[in-house]
Amino acid sequence: MNDKIQPTVQDMITKFNGSYDIARKISAPDPSNSFSACGKAVFSHKSDNIILYQEEVVLYDSMNKELSQMKKSYFYQYDTGTHKIRKLFADGNLFHELILKEGSFYGEHLCNLDLYTARYLLNNKHLGITYNVLGPKKNYVISTNYY
């Protein structure tokens, strides 16, 4: 059975609602620079086209030692007419615009000279977000699954 669906902006908006458990891996070429995190995320609709994302996670090193507890917030702004979703930092600045392509949503963000390439994958079981981060100061992959 194929559990993949061809998502639409409306599918993503429907999925971006409620509370989820998070499982995150941060994988680097040097395993000692790899990390994991787990915690909770909440997507809550704030207006007709704005969703607030809040997460609280615990970060672990490669030896599974707890390093810190972290909180982050973002906003998602969507337009079902253009089939685009914008992810905004908590201060309202643009992180990236997500565009539907080949069954997934993709976006890019340049942070100084380091490029974050995002892929949002939705299937009928969960939402997965992967960032490939590459540049002169960074080289890792962040994979987050929401259940």
Side-chain angles (χ1 to χ4, degrees):
M1 180 173 107
N2 184 358
D3 61 359
K4 289 184 181 178
I5 60 173
Q6 295 300 310
T8 65
V9 169
Q10 193 58 50
D11 292 331
M12 290 295 280
I13 298 318
T14 300
K15 195 68 172 176
F16 283 179
N17 192 24
S19 298
Y20 291 86
D21 291 321
I22 297 175
R24 179 173 294 145
K25 291 195 180 287
I26 303 163
S27 305
D30 177 356
S32 67
N33 290 328
S34 295
F35 302 91
S36 63
C38 62
K40 298 280 186 188
V42 177
F43 294 91
S44 52
H45 288 257
K46 292 299 175 190
S47 69
D48 286 346
N49 70 332
I50 300 286
I51 297 170
L52 172 62
Y53 171 82
Q54 297 174 297
E55 73 173 32
E56 292 186 24
V57 298
V58 178
L59 182 68
Y60 299 92
D61 67 12
S62 61
M63 302 301 290
N64 209 30
K65 177 183 174 192
E66 183 177 326
L67 298 176
S68 64
Q69 296 184 10
M70 302 183 316
K71 293 182 181 183
K72 286 194 174 199
S73 297
Y74 296 97
F75 290 99
Y76 288 91
Q77 181 181 43
Y78 58 93
D79 183 341
T80 55
T82 62
H83 304 289
K84 293 181 182 175
I85 301 172
R86 295 168 40 124
K87 184 175 184 178
L88 308 171
F89 291 108
D91 65 5
N93 287 319
L94 179 65
F95 183 13
H96 56 68
E97 186 172 81
L98 297 170
I99 298 171
L100 181 60
K101 180 180 173 185
E102 299 173 2
S104 297
F105 285 87
Y106 292 90
E108 290 184 342
H109 173 74
L110 190 61
C111 179
N112 296 317
L113 298 176
D114 299 311
L115 181 64
Y116 288 68
T117 303
R119 179 178 183 217
Y120 286 57
L121 180 63
L122 173 68
N123 67 35
N124 65 9
K125 294 182 181 166
H126 75 282
L127 170 66
I129 301 173
T130 301
Y131 285 96
N132 289 299
V133 185
L134 188 58
K137 294 185 179 180
K138 299 176 183 173
N139 181 11
Y140 51 85
V141 176
I142 305 169
S143 299
T144 306
N145 289 298
Y146 298 83
Y147 301 95

